[in-house]
Amino acid sequence: MPELQPVFEEIRNHLESLYQLNIELESSNDKLLTIMEGIGDGFFALDKEWCFTYVNKEMKKYLGYDREDLIERNIWDVYRLLADSATRVNLKRALDENISMHWEEYISQESKYFQYHAYPFKQGLTVFVRNITELKQRDIEMQRLERLNLIGQMAAGISHEVRNPLSTVRGFLQLLESQSDSELKTEYMDLMITEIDRANEILTDFLSVAKVSADCVKEENINNIINRLYPMLQADANSSGKELLLELNDIPSIDLNESEIKQLILNLVRNALEETAAKGKVYIKTYQVQEGVVLAIQDHGKGIPQSVQDTLGTPFVTTKENGTGLGLAISLGIVRRHQARLEFLTGGEGTTFFITFPLNNYSNNEYEQI
């Protein structure tokens, strides 16, 4: 009918417009999905019943599920670790109060730190999740380095201020002791001199934490250093009723400061002997891996308590009743100056420290305090 022709034309034009809008909408959705799948953060969307409506591939890695297994499933059934966490409280608040929320949380069961950003919308919530464990570990390491740097500055200031008066007091005590006419007074003076000597030893160790030594760096084989130290270490082991065993494999020579490596081995082996019970065994091992040369010191002690593992190597943090906590701090300084890496495994059957030295050489100007 001719009179309906304009109506049909208008309907056709409207359908073409809708078709074009649908194509543009699909293109926008494809672009948005490409962005969401390409970001390095985990991302998911929830409806108001706490069920997943979208999960990107990074979030699937965190949860360990395929996307098809997550859609329309309740988040608290899937991610049970969050059921009693601050994250649940914050997500609920974001949805109930219609506000954006930002927070961090440590998931102890996974030993990981996560950063969350929750944004409400009409149908529910969108949430960004970032694994910031490495960032947190770097922050902890930076704080440790800052503490060591502060100790170095303090050490320079106290070296003369404290040691000189101690030397003066010790000298006068020796003079008075030589003139004493009483055994009791002599005994008291001997005790005071012994305590002054102990204070001097602690100061010497304290100053060694910040000590920088770029001299005497030369190509050396760690096995040779261990063999030269072995008689002394074996004597320490025998005197404490323990056994020291060597497992030295063929390894290449690398650039080392021999005196510092000796100090490193002495510190770690003597710590291992102290932690090992009578008749127990301590192992010194060397071997090569792709990253470099590994020196491993293994004891049969009780392991390192979880409460001190994060602060291990911090001066004056120790599990020993009469320890100063400086031995491992000094060892860490030596490790860093050799551009090496220190790691440990610990448990109820003992602790093993692994020091991995790089194979590539480095120049003296790179050998500096860290």
Side-chain angles (χ1 to χ4, degrees), residues 237-352:
N238 290 338
S239 65
S240 58
K242 297 152 193 177
E243 188 175 359
L244 182 64
L245 301 173
L246 302 183
E247 294 183 9
L248 309 181
N249 293 283
D250 290 334
I251 55 173
S253 296
I254 53 177
D255 285 348
L256 300 171
N257 182 317
E258 182 177 352
S259 63
E260 287 202 329
I261 297 302
K262 283 182 178 179
Q263 185 177 14
L264 172 67
I265 295 170
L266 285 169
N267 286 349
L268 293 179
V269 172
R270 284 174 174 167
N271 280 348
L273 289 171
E274 289 178 11
E275 293 297 323
T276 300
K279 298 183 180 179
K281 296 178 180 179
V282 171
Y283 292 87
I284 304 177
K285 305 176 183 180
T286 58
Y287 52 91
Q288 185 176 354
V289 294
Q290 185 175 359
E291 295 85 0
V293 172
V294 177
L295 166 67
I297 311 295
Q298 178 183 355
D299 67 46
H300 281 165
K302 297 179 181 178
I304 302 171
Q306 183 65 45
S307 58
V308 301
Q309 287 184 24
D310 291 339
T311 56
L312 204 63
T314 302
F316 307 115
V317 174
T318 179
T319 58
K320 301 175 186 176
E321 185 176 347
N322 296 316
T324 61
L326 293 173
L328 193 54
I330 294 168
S331 299
L332 279 171
I334 294 170
V335 168
R336 292 192 183 99
R337 289 196 289 273
H338 282 80
Q339 300 183 3
R341 183 177 73 251
L342 187 144
E343 300 167 302
F344 65 89
L345 289 175
T346 187
E349 296 182 356
T351 301
T352 304

Side-chain angles (χ1 to χ4, degrees), residues 56-68:
N56 75 345
K57 65 179 183 181
E58 195 65 26
M59 194 65 206
K60 287 187 296 181
K61 293 180 185 177
Y62 292 161
L63 298 175
Y65 286 87
D66 291 331
R67 183 182 352 224
E68 294 74 19

